[in-house]
Amino acid sequence: MKKVTTSTLLKMKQQSEKISALTAYDASFSKLFDEQGIDVLLIGDSLGMVLQGCDDTLGVSIDDVAYHTRAVRKGVERAFVIADMPFMSYSTPEQTYLNAAKLMAAGASMVKLEGGRWLLESIKGLNERGVPVCGHLGLTPQSVHVFGGFKVQGRDDLQAEQMLEQAKEMAAAGIQLLVLECVPTELAGAISQAVDIPVIGIGAGAETDGQILVMHDMFGISANYMPKFSKNYLQETGDMRTAVSQYIEEVKDGSFPSEAHSFSK
Ligand code: KIV
């Protein structure tokens, strides 16, 4: 079994093979997802909402993410493992390096940071120190109070232009993957075409290079609510393994997300 690496993900984009991704927080689920053939697993700070029952992700600590990263890593043989840097754990480049080191030591192969231009120095510094970086633009949940709620981003032309520019700058600074969350399909497609790195969408339409869902949303068991962009695969299939393989199949053949799971301008 060949392990998925940053080179694999880049090749998948170049060969127009869609990348399938899910969040995971423990060894049992990461093993199940890995066995079904998921390409990427993210230890998301969404754990604050789906595991800890909070209204947002702001209370998650670096130790929380490191703890779950250690558990996820134990279940994985093939998938590429990314860990989220939580709120205020990457405010300065120095703080970023120290906290990223904790996640890499816990078993991550890449760290994910939310935000745009202000992260360029940290992205370069992480790369120079051997840490691959995933960017995250659009609805970045750690900024929920700045946005005034969990809202689609990039609907107006100026915001869309800024997002596109920031994606290009971050790619030039060295990110090797980009997550776009809750962005109109057309903008997500334009960003995916404008950068050479793979772009993975969540609520960003079918024109990105891959898709990610929070595992609890994909199983329809989230404590709080079911986002419009997600789909309950467990309800459709009746068992967890088939739910995961159907999700992967629909990502690969481009049938998920449909328009019903996407946002327009
Ligand atoms: O925290 C998370 O699970 C995420 C995904 C929604 C991409 O960042």
Side-chain angles (χ1 to χ4, degrees):
M1 188 186 297
K2 241 183 139 195
K3 282 187 188 302
V4 178
T5 65
T6 49
S7 311
T8 320
L9 298 174
L10 182 60
K11 204 155 153 200
M12 287 171 80
K13 175 176 178 117
Q14 289 163 347
Q15 297 180 343
S16 301
E17 184 190 339
K18 298 272 187 188
I19 297 165
S20 61
L22 280 171
T23 65
Y25 314 97
D26 68 34
S28 300
F29 277 112
S30 66
K31 186 164 189 295
L32 188 153
F33 298 158
D34 196 59
E35 286 170 352
Q36 298 314 117
I38 200 80
D39 298 314
V40 173
L41 289 175
L42 168 72
I43 300 89
D45 62 355
S46 50
L47 70 86
M49 298 171 84
V50 296
L51 299 190
Q52 297 173 343
C54 302
D55 291 337
D56 56 44
T57 60
L58 306 190
V60 175
S61 70
I62 195 77
D63 291 340
D64 290 337
V65 181
Y67 171 88
H68 289 282
T69 301
R70 271 193 294 278
V72 166
R73 171 50 75 189
K74 292 206 172 96
V76 174
E77 281 184 24
R78 176 185 169 273
F80 188 70
V81 174
I82 307 174
D84 244 346
M85 304 269 308
F87 182 60
M88 286 293 165
S89 69
Y90 52 102
S91 319
T92 64
E94 286 65 32
Q95 185 198 24
T96 308
Y97 308 148
L98 292 175
N99 282 325
K102 292 186 188 170
L103 300 186
M104 297 299 279
S109 299
M110 176 179 267
V111 298
K112 178 164 79 61
L113 312 175
E114 293 186 8
R117 196 162 283 137
W118 69 276
L119 290 170
L120 294 179
E121 188 186 339
S122 295
I123 293 166
K124 279 190 202 146
L126 282 169
N127 265 296
E128 285 161 358
R129 288 159 180 78
V131 180
V133 185
C134 176
H136 185 158
L137 290 172
L139 170 54
T140 44
Q142 292 168 19
S143 303
V144 60
H145 297 303
V146 175
F147 297 143
F150 293 99
K151 294 176 181 166
V152 178
Q153 301 294 309
R155 275 192 158 135
D156 74 66
D157 290 346
L158 179 63
Q159 221 192 23
E161 185 55 36
Q162 284 171 349
M163 207 185 294
L164 179 64
E165 285 313 310
Q166 297 198 68
K168 287 187 200 164
E169 287 171 28
M170 288 162 73
I175 58 166
Q176 288 176 283
L177 199 63
L178 175 64
V179 168
L180 287 180
E181 180 165 353
C182 290
V183 169
T185 301
E186 193 187 318
L187 173 60
I191 293 175
S192 306
Q193 288 203 354
V195 294
D196 291 335
I197 54 161
V199 176
I200 296 185
I202 174 164
E207 292 173 26
T208 53
D209 306 306
Q211 300 293 327
I212 184 163
L213 285 179
V214 171
M215 59 164 277
H216 292 65
D217 294 343
M218 185 271 300
F219 285 138
I221 54 164
S222 292
N224 296 330
Y225 83 116
M226 178 74 157
K228 163 194 154 94
F229 56 75
S230 194
K231 182 169 167 185
N232 184 342
Y233 282 93
L234 186 55
Q235 190 174 45
E236 283 204 1
T237 58
D239 82 282
M240 283 183 177
R241 284 186 189 275
T242 318
V244 176
S245 56
Q246 187 165 324
Y247 166 64
I248 295 172
E249 203 174 298
E250 291 188 12
V251 169
K252 297 277 176 193
D253 70 18
S255 55
F256 178 80
S258 67
E259 268 183 41
H261 302 109
S262 307
F263 300 104
S264 57
K265 196 172 165 214

mmCIF file of all heavy atoms in Angstrom, residues 23 25 42 44-47 57 84 112 114 136 141 179 181 202 212 214, ligand 1:
data_model
loop_
_atom_site.group_PDB
_atom_site.id
_atom_site.type_symbol
_atom_site.label_atom_id
_atom_site.label_comp_id
_atom_site.label_asym_id
_atom_site.label_seq_id
_atom_site.Cartn_x
_atom_site.Cartn_y
_atom_site.Cartn_z
ATOM 1 N N THR A 23 -12.560 14.666 8.222
ATOM 2 C CA THR A 23 -11.929 14.894 9.520
ATOM 3 C C THR A 23 -11.935 13.569 10.276
ATOM 4 O O THR A 23 -12.746 12.678 9.999
ATOM 5 C CB THR A 23 -12.676 15.947 10.358
ATOM 6 O OG1 THR A 23 -13.977 15.463 10.684
ATOM 7 C CG2 THR A 23 -12.764 17.279 9.626
ATOM 8 N N TYR A 25 -10.746 12.030 14.499
ATOM 9 C CA TYR A 25 -10.277 12.476 15.824
ATOM 10 C C TYR A 25 -9.795 11.314 16.683
ATOM 11 O O TYR A 25 -9.337 11.531 17.806
ATOM 12 C CB TYR A 25 -11.412 13.220 16.549
ATOM 13 C CG TYR A 25 -12.128 14.224 15.659
ATOM 14 C CD1 TYR A 25 -13.312 13.898 15.006
ATOM 15 C CD2 TYR A 25 -11.575 15.497 15.434
ATOM 16 C CE1 TYR A 25 -13.952 14.801 14.166
ATOM 17 C CE2 TYR A 25 -12.209 16.399 14.592
ATOM 18 C CZ TYR A 25 -13.408 16.040 13.959
ATOM 19 O OH TYR A 25 -14.023 16.941 13.122
ATOM 20 N N LEU A 42 -7.982 14.942 8.352
ATOM 21 C CA LEU A 42 -7.671 16.183 9.058
ATOM 22 C C LEU A 42 -8.137 16.078 10.502
ATOM 23 O O LEU A 42 -9.315 15.779 10.758
ATOM 24 C CB LEU A 42 -8.401 17.364 8.389
ATOM 25 C CG LEU A 42 -8.406 18.678 9.189
ATOM 26 C CD1 LEU A 42 -7.013 19.324 9.204
ATOM 27 C CD2 LEU A 42 -9.423 19.683 8.607
ATOM 28 N N GLY A 44 -9.287 18.213 12.717
ATOM 29 C CA GLY A 44 -9.772 19.590 12.641
ATOM 30 C C GLY A 44 -10.037 20.142 14.037
ATOM 31 O O GLY A 44 -10.378 19.395 14.955
ATOM 32 N N ASP A 45 -9.934 21.473 14.131
ATOM 33 C CA ASP A 45 -10.326 22.063 15.425
ATOM 34 C C ASP A 45 -11.861 22.083 15.527
ATOM 35 O O ASP A 45 -12.418 22.479 16.551
ATOM 36 C CB ASP A 45 -9.702 23.453 15.639
ATOM 37 C CG ASP A 45 -10.131 24.473 14.609
ATOM 38 O OD1 ASP A 45 -10.842 24.107 13.645
ATOM 39 O OD2 ASP A 45 -9.756 25.657 14.753
ATOM 40 N N SER A 46 -12.526 21.584 14.484
ATOM 41 C CA SER A 46 -13.963 21.304 14.582
ATOM 42 C C SER A 46 -14.238 20.360 15.751
ATOM 43 O O SER A 46 -15.388 20.217 16.184
ATOM 44 C CB SER A 46 -14.474 20.677 13.273
ATOM 45 O OG SER A 46 -13.656 19.592 12.890
ATOM 46 N N LEU A 47 -13.204 19.732 16.278
ATOM 47 C CA LEU A 47 -13.378 18.853 17.438
ATOM 48 C C LEU A 47 -13.998 19.622 18.609
ATOM 49 O O LEU A 47 -14.684 19.041 19.457
ATOM 50 C CB LEU A 47 -12.054 18.182 17.825
ATOM 51 C CG LEU A 47 -10.918 18.998 18.450
ATOM 52 C CD1 LEU A 47 -11.036 19.116 19.965
ATOM 53 C CD2 LEU A 47 -9.569 18.382 18.111
ATOM 54 N N THR A 57 -15.100 26.976 17.578
ATOM 55 C CA THR A 57 -13.831 26.229 17.728
ATOM 56 C C THR A 57 -12.824 26.954 18.627
ATOM 57 O O THR A 57 -11.692 26.496 18.780
ATOM 58 C CB THR A 57 -13.182 26.029 16.335
ATOM 59 O OG1 THR A 57 -12.911 27.323 15.752
ATOM 60 C CG2 THR A 57 -14.080 25.250 15.399
ATOM 61 N N ASP A 84 -4.824 20.622 12.524
ATOM 62 C CA ASP A 84 -5.196 22.040 12.579
ATOM 63 C C ASP A 84 -4.454 22.764 13.688
ATOM 64 O O ASP A 84 -4.367 22.272 14.809
ATOM 65 C CB ASP A 84 -6.691 22.131 12.928
ATOM 66 C CG ASP A 84 -7.513 22.739 11.827
ATOM 67 O OD1 ASP A 84 -6.945 23.333 10.891
ATOM 68 O OD2 ASP A 84 -8.749 22.612 11.899
ATOM 69 N N LYS A 112 -2.361 22.937 9.340
ATOM 70 C CA LYS A 112 -3.278 23.848 8.627
ATOM 71 C C LYS A 112 -3.472 25.121 9.449
ATOM 72 O O LYS A 112 -3.676 25.055 10.671
ATOM 73 C CB LYS A 112 -4.631 23.166 8.377
ATOM 74 C CG LYS A 112 -5.640 24.102 7.679
ATOM 75 C CD LYS A 112 -6.808 23.335 7.081
ATOM 76 C CE LYS A 112 -7.858 22.931 8.067
ATOM 77 N NZ LYS A 112 -8.542 24.036 8.779
ATOM 78 N N GLU A 114 -5.552 28.956 9.475
ATOM 79 C CA GLU A 114 -6.649 29.746 8.902
ATOM 80 C C GLU A 114 -6.186 31.184 8.680
ATOM 81 O O GLU A 114 -5.646 31.806 9.601
ATOM 82 C CB GLU A 114 -7.854 29.758 9.850
ATOM 83 C CG GLU A 114 -8.501 28.410 10.015
ATOM 84 C CD GLU A 114 -9.774 28.468 10.851
ATOM 85 O OE1 GLU A 114 -10.253 29.570 11.178
ATOM 86 O OE2 GLU A 114 -10.285 27.384 11.177
ATOM 87 N N HIS A 136 -6.099 27.935 4.602
ATOM 88 C CA HIS A 136 -7.558 27.802 4.760
ATOM 89 C C HIS A 136 -8.155 29.191 4.576
ATOM 90 O O HIS A 136 -7.893 30.089 5.383
ATOM 91 C CB HIS A 136 -7.849 27.241 6.166
ATOM 92 C CG HIS A 136 -9.291 26.929 6.437
ATOM 93 N ND1 HIS A 136 -9.678 26.039 7.422
ATOM 94 C CD2 HIS A 136 -10.449 27.377 5.884
ATOM 95 C CE1 HIS A 136 -11.005 25.962 7.466
ATOM 96 N NE2 HIS A 136 -11.493 26.780 6.541
ATOM 97 N N PRO A 141 -13.500 29.425 10.478
ATOM 98 C CA PRO A 141 -14.354 29.463 11.672
ATOM 99 C C PRO A 141 -13.731 30.151 12.890
ATOM 100 O O PRO A 141 -14.462 30.616 13.769
ATOM 101 C CB PRO A 141 -14.633 27.983 11.947
ATOM 102 C CG PRO A 141 -14.489 27.324 10.622
ATOM 103 C CD PRO A 141 -13.386 28.067 9.924
ATOM 104 N N VAL A 179 -7.470 24.726 1.719
ATOM 105 C CA VAL A 179 -8.882 24.431 1.973
ATOM 106 C C VAL A 179 -9.676 25.706 1.734
ATOM 107 O O VAL A 179 -9.293 26.787 2.209
ATOM 108 C CB VAL A 179 -9.099 23.930 3.429
ATOM 109 C CG1 VAL A 179 -10.582 23.919 3.782
ATOM 110 C CG2 VAL A 179 -8.513 22.535 3.604
ATOM 111 N N GLU A 181 -13.503 27.119 2.348
ATOM 112 C CA GLU A 181 -14.736 26.760 3.068
ATOM 113 C C GLU A 181 -15.836 27.786 2.790
ATOM 114 O O GLU A 181 -15.613 29.000 2.940
ATOM 115 C CB GLU A 181 -14.438 26.689 4.583
ATOM 116 C CG GLU A 181 -15.660 26.315 5.407
ATOM 117 C CD GLU A 181 -15.334 25.880 6.833
ATOM 118 O OE1 GLU A 181 -14.144 25.738 7.180
ATOM 119 O OE2 GLU A 181 -16.293 25.681 7.600
ATOM 120 N N ILE A 202 -14.978 22.681 1.006
ATOM 121 C CA ILE A 202 -16.073 22.253 1.899
ATOM 122 C C ILE A 202 -17.128 23.343 1.770
ATOM 123 O O ILE A 202 -16.869 24.508 2.101
ATOM 124 C CB ILE A 202 -15.595 22.014 3.356
ATOM 125 C CG1 ILE A 202 -16.783 21.726 4.290
ATOM 126 C CG2 ILE A 202 -14.716 23.131 3.912
ATOM 127 C CD1 ILE A 202 -16.406 21.101 5.628
ATOM 128 N N ILE A 212 -13.687 17.906 1.370
ATOM 129 C CA ILE A 212 -13.563 17.448 2.755
ATOM 130 C C ILE A 212 -14.897 17.665 3.462
ATOM 131 O O ILE A 212 -15.605 18.642 3.169
ATOM 132 C CB ILE A 212 -12.400 18.152 3.513
ATOM 133 C CG1 ILE A 212 -12.250 17.568 4.935
ATOM 134 C CG2 ILE A 212 -12.572 19.666 3.573
ATOM 135 C CD1 ILE A 212 -10.920 17.880 5.597
ATOM 136 N N VAL A 214 -16.668 17.240 7.607
ATOM 137 C CA VAL A 214 -16.532 16.860 9.008
ATOM 138 C C VAL A 214 -17.219 15.493 9.148
ATOM 139 O O VAL A 214 -18.348 15.311 8.690
ATOM 140 C CB VAL A 214 -17.193 17.922 9.915
ATOM 141 C CG1 VAL A 214 -17.269 17.451 11.367
ATOM 142 C CG2 VAL A 214 -16.420 19.247 9.818
HETATM 143 O O1 KIV B 1 -11.771 22.073 11.646
HETATM 144 C C1 KIV B 1 -12.142 21.482 10.631
HETATM 145 O O2 KIV B 1 -12.731 20.402 10.678
HETATM 146 C C2 KIV B 1 -11.876 22.114 9.351
HETATM 147 C C3 KIV B 1 -12.628 21.572 8.168
HETATM 148 C C4 KIV B 1 -14.015 22.078 8.211
HETATM 149 C C5 KIV B 1 -11.966 21.894 6.887
HETATM 150 O O3 KIV B 1 -11.137 23.035 9.262
#
